[in-house]
Amino acid sequence: MARKSTGFFAIHRQQGSAALKDMFRRPLGNFLTLAVLAFALTLPCTFYLMAKNITVVADSWQNPSQITLYLNNDVSDSDGQAFADTVKTWPEAESVQYISAAKGLEEFRQHGGFEKALSLFDSKDNPLPAVVIVKPAPDWQGDVQARALADKLGKEPQVNEVRLDSDWLQRLAAIQDLAITLAALMSGLMLFAVFLIVGNTLRLQVLSHKDEIQVMKMVGATDSYILRPYLYVGAWYGLIAAVIAWILAAIVTLLLDEAVAKLANLYGSNFRMIGLSWDESLIMVMLATFLGLLAARLSAGRHLKEIEPV
């Protein structure tokens, strides 16, 4: 039994290495096929990375229900501070911060990049309103509860406008859903393209070896024995193309990292581009190898049955 098992693995090892060596005997044609397969796998990987990074950015915001109140221009600093102190006593509010119009103008001058333009305004002609920032209590940070609190604050006579910060997070969530849907759609299409490319390539190889296959069947070779080298070729196609696609995806990550870092710095964030993890890379390689193997089994296997010895 042990000798039979050793012979079984020896045959598979021999046929697998022979299939790989046969690929290198036709380097130009196989190189073009591998290039097409690699690019077909890189595209869904790129879309997946985009969706993954957008999801990480969306999940990193831990305070989506911050409420910003813009007070009326005729509200004095003392009345504005008194209003903020009153809101602070509400059970719905966890913390309240009052920013006067003068302080808001100074912060905008320092961080907004409009120092020269704002210097034209007199301190009495400050166009910015006083602002009260309200962070809801934990029980009021849900979307429905936060909107109810925003509506309640908007009815106060001192408040001119209410902005709920979760509004733009909902837009970000919509962008996230679009990115995930696009990544899933492109992944399905490109993986199907990989399946078709490998299947068509092996179909042509089977037809080109038609005479040899007929001779092998005449001497008693079974379809499974003849099919096995083509299965290894399909698996090699998927494996090598996946490795090349992983390298290309890593290059794309490095090229986009600097641009993402510049964009994140504009928003005061240290976020950096996140590439494929090791488990994600392993899944991609295994999936591509399985697709190559499945395409070889269905395409080459069907055409082998149609070839009969004469």
Side-chain angles (χ1 to χ4, degrees):
M1 180 67 67
R3 183 177 301 176
K4 183 178 180 180
S5 176
T6 303
F8 175 81
F9 287 111
I11 292 175
H12 278 270
R13 183 173 63 252
Q14 179 183 2
Q15 291 184 326
S17 60
L20 182 61
K21 293 177 181 178
D22 185 65
M23 291 177 61
F24 285 105
R25 292 193 185 101
R26 299 185 299 273
L28 181 59
N30 287 316
F31 173 79
L32 295 177
T33 302
L34 288 172
V36 173
L37 292 173
F39 283 116
L41 290 173
T42 303
L43 189 58
C45 287
T46 302
F47 278 101
Y48 173 78
L49 287 175
M50 180 184 66
K52 176 183 176 180
N53 283 269
I54 292 177
T55 301
V56 171
V57 171
D59 294 342
S60 64
W61 294 93
Q62 300 298 324
N63 185 26
S65 300
Q66 182 172 285
I67 302 174
T68 303
L69 308 176
Y70 298 95
L71 305 184
N72 295 316
N73 291 329
D74 56 355
V75 176
S76 62
D77 285 345
S78 58
D79 292 339
Q81 185 62 57
F83 170 69
D85 293 338
T86 301
V87 176
K88 192 179 298 183
T89 61
W90 292 9
E92 302 96 327
E94 180 179 356
S95 63
V96 179
Q97 179 184 5
Y98 173 72
I99 302 176
S100 64
K103 184 178 179 181
L105 181 65
E106 181 63 26
E107 291 181 356
F108 193 75
R109 179 182 287 113
Q110 293 177 359
H111 303 288
F114 296 99
E115 296 87 355
K116 294 183 179 179
L118 293 176
S119 63
L120 301 176
F121 291 98
D122 188 83
S123 59
K124 297 181 180 180
D125 299 327
N126 186 354
L128 301 180
V131 175
V132 176
I133 300 177
V134 180
K135 180 181 179 181
D139 295 338
W140 286 81
Q141 290 188 1
D143 186 63
V144 177
Q145 296 86 344
R147 289 187 179 276
L149 178 59
D151 293 338
K152 180 180 179 181
L153 291 168
K155 296 177 181 178
E156 296 295 322
Q158 299 91 338
V159 178
N160 180 41
E161 185 179 357
V162 180
R163 290 288 180 87
L164 185 61
D165 289 357
S166 63
D167 291 342
W168 74 268
L169 285 178
Q170 291 180 354
R171 301 185 184 96
L172 181 60
I175 296 175
Q176 175 185 348
D177 293 339
L178 176 61
I180 293 175
T181 303
L182 187 60
L185 180 61
M186 293 302 300
S187 298
L189 291 175
M190 290 299 101
L191 291 178
F192 185 65
V194 170
F195 178 85
L196 292 179
I197 293 170
V198 174
N200 185 64
T201 301
L202 293 178
R203 180 184 68 86
L204 295 177
Q205 289 190 15
V206 169
L207 295 178
S208 65
H209 295 95
K210 181 178 179 180
D211 295 338
E212 298 177 14
I213 295 173
Q214 288 177 336
V215 173
M216 295 177 67
K217 286 190 174 184
M218 289 179 62
V219 298
T222 61
D223 287 343
S224 60
Y225 178 84
I226 302 173
L227 176 63
R228 197 176 301 151
Y230 296 100
L231 296 180
Y232 279 111
V233 172
W236 282 120
Y237 272 134
L239 177 61
I240 298 175
V243 173
I244 298 175
W246 182 86
I247 297 174
L248 294 176
I251 295 175
V252 170
T253 303
L254 292 176
L255 294 177
L256 291 178
D257 183 65
E258 184 177 356
V260 171
K262 290 181 180 179
L263 180 61
N265 289 333
L266 295 177
Y267 289 91
S269 173
N270 295 323
F271 179 78
R272 294 298 181 268
M273 188 74 177
I274 301 175
L276 293 174
S277 61
W278 288 112
D279 54 344
E280 293 168 342
S281 303
L282 181 60
I283 291 174
M284 183 199 55
V285 172
M286 292 175 61
L287 181 60
T289 305
F290 173 75
L291 277 177
L293 186 64
L294 180 62
R297 176 66 182 85
L298 295 179
S299 179
R302 185 175 68 87
H303 287 84
L304 279 176
K305 293 180 180 179
E306 297 176 355
I307 300 175
E308 295 296 337
V310 292

